Amino acid sequence: MQKTRLGISIELLSAAIYFMGICGGYLTVVVLVLYALLFEQNAWLKRSAVKAVSLMVLFSLLVMCINLLPNAISLIDNIVSVFGGIFSIGILNKIVTIIISGIDIAEKVLFIALGCRALKQETVVIPMIDRLISKYMG
């Protein structure tokens, strides 16, 4: 079992990065990832760290893109309200909320799975993310 400079195993640090992705937010994860990238030599740990941040960004972008539709409807409603009208699609907000809740659950399940697999120095293959990491990290 290979140890980090902190004295913990690389598997534990990788799992911590994934688990912090669920509850710690970007700041905690970025600090841990920067530590792994700057001070650790293990390639698997570095790839896992980058994968965690990449997935967090991917899920954030996905939610942001889905929220563009209600934001556009709100913009139209604001423009129409200038002329005394009302424009609203109530069901759309409910559908978007359901979709975002599903994405949130999927993100948490994925990060839990990745964290548990990291404890065994394994990973969950996500083809799109893994290809990008391989392309840019070598």
Side-chain angles (χ1 to χ4, degrees), residues 4-5 33-42 46:
T4 64
R5 292 183 184 194
V33 168
L34 284 174
Y35 168 78
L37 291 174
L38 293 173
F39 299 111
E40 296 301 331
Q41 300 301 317
N42 187 281
K46 289 181 177 188

Side-chain angles (χ1 to χ4, degrees), residues 12-135:
L12 187 59
L13 180 58
S14 179
I17 292 170
Y18 285 123
F19 292 140
M20 286 298 110
I22 297 171
C23 59
Y26 277 100
L27 180 62
T28 308
V29 172
V30 168
V31 168
L32 289 172
V33 168
L34 284 174
Y35 168 78
L37 291 174
L38 293 173
F39 299 111
E40 296 301 331
Q41 300 301 317
N42 187 281
W44 177 84
L45 175 61
K46 289 181 177 188
R47 290 176 62 84
S48 293
V50 170
K51 187 174 192 174
V53 171
S54 300
L55 285 170
M56 288 179 71
V57 170
L58 177 72
F59 278 108
S60 293
L61 287 173
L62 188 59
V63 168
M64 183 182 67
C65 289
I66 291 170
N67 274 324
L68 284 176
L69 192 55
N71 291 347
I73 299 297
S74 178
L75 173 66
I76 294 169
D77 182 42
N78 290 335
I79 292 170
V80 170
S81 69
V82 169
F83 302 105
I86 296 174
F87 182 81
S88 178
I89 304 175
I91 189 77
L92 179 68
N93 288 334
K94 292 177 183 176
I95 291 171
V96 167
T97 301
I98 290 169
I99 292 170
I100 290 174
S101 295
I103 291 170
D104 188 47
I105 291 169
E107 179 182 19
K108 285 182 168 93
V109 168
L110 179 62
F111 273 80
I112 290 169
L114 284 164
C116 291
R117 296 291 298 263
L119 290 171
K120 300 175 187 170
Q121 200 170 352
E122 298 172 353
T123 189
V124 175
V125 176
I126 304 165
M128 181 180 79
I129 298 294
D130 289 335
R131 261 186 269 118
L132 285 172
I133 292 171
S134 293
K135 180 179 178 181

